[in-house]
Amino acid sequence: MSDVEEAITRAHHDEWARVVAALTRRFGDLDIAEEATAEAFTTAVERWRADGVPPNPGAWLTTTANRKAIDRLRRENKRDDKHKEALMLHDTTPPEPLGAVDDDRLRLIFTCCHPALAMEARVALTLRMVGGLTVPEIARAFLVQATTMEQRITRAKAKIKAARIPYRMPSAEDLPARVSGVLTVLYLVFNEGYLATGPSVDPVRHDLTSEAIRLTRLIRALMPQDGEVAGLLALMLMTEARRTARVSGSGELVALDEQDRGAWDLALIAEGHGLVRERLAAAAGGVAPGRYQILAAINAVHTSARDIRDTDWSQVLALYDQLVRLDRSPIIALNRAIAVAELDGPEVALAIVDRLAEALDGYHAFHVTRADLLRRLGRSQQARAAYDRAIELAGNTGETAYLTRRRDQLTGPG
């Protein structure tokens, strides 16, 4: 990759959401913001090759995108009033009062995650506008056609415009009701970075995981007493701590039981554990933990073990039992079965997993779990078939490589 291409890629990771958010604040239109930002990056590819990479790529992109947006508005005759045109050119509109946190990207997230939008639309719009994912990448994450996803994002932007959903932070009174949906979206954005769905992208996308963590930190600054915000941040930090150990030098995903725990980021783990202890103290005072707090506690058990054999599986199972009472999702049941396998054996766990077949047949992790349990039971032929199905559904090359190696290690007939 040339220096210019590397600079473009880095700028896209670092600046996409910032430029889109700045243009949304100025022009109040997601379509204009997105298209002008995309045009600015296209121009950068040409200009930076000829003129060199500017000292401040983010400022260059923002200025260029602003000019592109103004050119579009002029072409479409949407600013025929001279006074409005002057305001547009010189941007003399006084900024709205700042809230507890002044961050354009956080405002953009609350706009994309407005409760008037369906949850799938919120996630898709956030991945596009804040994460900078392409429509095909988002479509793969949702297991739908790119044209379907394009229509979904277009409808979401149109609804924001038609309903005049404002680009701003919610009031302090509205924040608790709005934050739950935002946390769901941030967790899904983080998961897309933690295990990217595109076959031609890196298995782990640090740009998405770091942005999800950054935005969750901002929400925690807004709501320091909210247990679920603290829980989600802890969960992200302890998961991110394992990032460098999750991919081998050859680009293959590395499962938890094979990871070099010495490569984990101890500072992130310590911060995550501190947040979990804080929430445990609150629970001892009678405050029942929510979903993210329990998931964070499970992660704390895993990251406390110096070796996979030291994992306290009875505690993990007890936490999953608590989580199942809050969330009867088949994916939670699948994860619980992994803990059951460690305590009661793979045969007991396989019976639980097989009962989830109808709900999770299209979910690759279901077949990965089933393949591993069958392998441990010595049923190689069935395990091979389960691995084949998991490989067929796998989202990226790193995961495919890992599953292929595991399948090829099987012994026995078939």
Side-chain angles (χ1 to χ4, degrees):
M1 188 180 288
S2 71
D3 290 344
V4 170
E5 289 172 322
E6 188 175 344
I8 293 285
T9 301
R10 187 168 56 251
H12 191 272
H13 287 172
D14 296 344
E15 304 295 344
W16 171 272
R18 196 188 312 274
V19 177
V20 170
L23 266 66
T24 303
R25 173 172 54 81
R26 181 171 180 185
F27 298 104
D29 189 299
L30 288 176
D31 270 325
I32 290 174
E34 179 189 2
E35 291 181 18
T37 302
E39 288 178 19
F41 274 95
T42 301
T43 303
V45 173
E46 301 169 359
R47 292 282 299 278
W48 294 6
R49 282 176 180 157
D51 304 337
V53 179
N56 189 334
W60 190 98
L61 288 162
T62 302
T63 299
T64 303
N66 269 287
R67 289 173 181 158
K68 298 288 185 184
I70 290 169
D71 288 344
R72 172 179 163 171
L73 289 170
R74 281 176 171 158
R75 285 195 306 269
E76 295 179 1
N77 295 318
K78 289 186 176 178
R79 291 292 187 273
D80 53 357
D81 183 276
K82 295 297 183 185
H83 177 62
K84 287 183 179 179
E85 185 171 312
L87 289 177
M88 180 181 66
L89 289 171
H90 301 292
D91 197 20
T92 57
T93 305
E96 63 179 273
L98 301 180
V101 176
D102 176 31
D103 188 280
D104 277 341
R105 286 165 291 183
L106 195 57
R107 294 168 187 244
L108 184 58
I109 280 227
F110 273 97
T111 302
C112 294
C113 297
H114 195 277
L117 303 175
M119 180 55 72
E120 285 190 344
R122 296 182 215 174
V123 178
L125 198 57
T126 304
L127 288 171
R128 177 70 195 122
M129 306 303 292
V130 181
L133 272 68
T134 65
V135 172
E137 285 175 331
I138 302 169
R140 281 192 293 269
F142 281 86
L143 304 177
V144 299
Q145 295 296 317
T147 51
T148 301
M149 184 53 62
E150 182 73 64
Q151 291 167 358
R152 190 176 294 173
I153 292 172
T154 299
R155 284 196 299 268
K157 289 190 289 188
K159 187 163 188 176
I160 286 174
K161 184 182 293 186
R164 298 184 181 275
I165 292 172
Y167 171 71
R168 66 174 183 227
M169 291 293 297
S171 65
E173 300 77 34
D174 292 338
L175 205 57
R178 292 282 301 278
V179 79
S180 175
V182 172
L183 294 183
T184 300
V185 170
L186 285 174
Y187 186 39
L188 290 167
V189 170
F190 181 87
N191 282 337
E192 173 61 25
Y194 177 71
L195 185 58
T197 53
S200 59
V201 300
D202 291 338
V204 178
R205 291 193 56 173
H206 179 53
D207 56 315
L208 291 183
T209 58
S210 62
E211 182 66 358
I213 289 172
R214 191 191 72 81
L215 291 166
T216 306
R217 286 190 187 280
L218 290 180
I219 295 175
R220 177 157 167 78
L222 282 172
M223 307 178 69
Q225 303 305 316
D226 190 291
E228 283 295 80
V229 175
L232 179 58
L233 179 57
L235 176 60
M236 288 179 174
L237 292 172
M238 289 181 286
T239 305
E240 180 73 357
R242 306 197 299 268
R243 176 172 55 85
T244 56
R246 289 193 68 241
V247 182
S248 70
S250 63
E252 179 183 319
L253 278 180
V254 182
L256 181 63
D257 60 341
E258 297 178 340
Q259 286 178 17
D260 174 11
R261 299 187 176 215
W264 289 359
D265 188 321
L266 297 182
L268 290 180
I269 290 174
E271 186 180 357
H273 284 189
L275 289 167
V276 170
R277 285 193 296 272
E278 173 191 310
R279 298 318 309 161
L280 286 174
V287 180
R291 179 173 180 267
Y292 295 122
Q293 294 168 75
I294 298 172
L295 286 171
I298 292 169
N299 235 278
V301 176
H302 284 300
T303 51
S304 295
R306 306 180 84 176
D307 186 279
I308 189 69
R309 292 167 294 187
D310 299 329
T311 304
D312 187 346
W313 287 106
S314 61
Q315 189 174 1
V316 171
L317 182 58
L319 287 165
Y320 269 118
D321 286 342
Q322 191 174 358
L323 183 58
V324 165
R325 290 194 286 271
L326 291 179
D327 184 351
R328 295 197 171 275
S329 158
I331 293 176
I332 297 296
L334 178 69
N335 291 332
R336 179 185 176 277
I338 296 171
V340 170
E342 297 300 326
L343 292 169
D344 299 329
E347 191 163 1
V348 175
L350 182 62
I352 296 171
V353 170
D354 281 345
R355 288 198 291 271
L356 304 171
E358 184 177 352
L360 296 179
D361 183 60
Y363 181 48
H364 77 283
F366 165 77
H367 298 282
V368 174
T369 303
R370 194 165 179 276
D372 182 65
L373 294 172
L374 289 165
R375 177 187 60 79
R376 290 166 65 178
L377 289 167
R379 292 156 62 176
S380 297
Q381 190 168 355
Q382 290 173 284
R384 184 172 285 106
Y387 275 122
D388 285 340
R389 177 66 172 146
I391 290 167
E392 179 187 339
L393 296 170
N396 58 57
T397 54
E399 189 171 22
T400 299
Y402 163 73
L403 293 172
T404 301
R405 176 174 64 83
R406 296 288 282 179
R407 181 196 62 190
D408 294 347
Q409 287 173 342
L410 289 169
T411 58

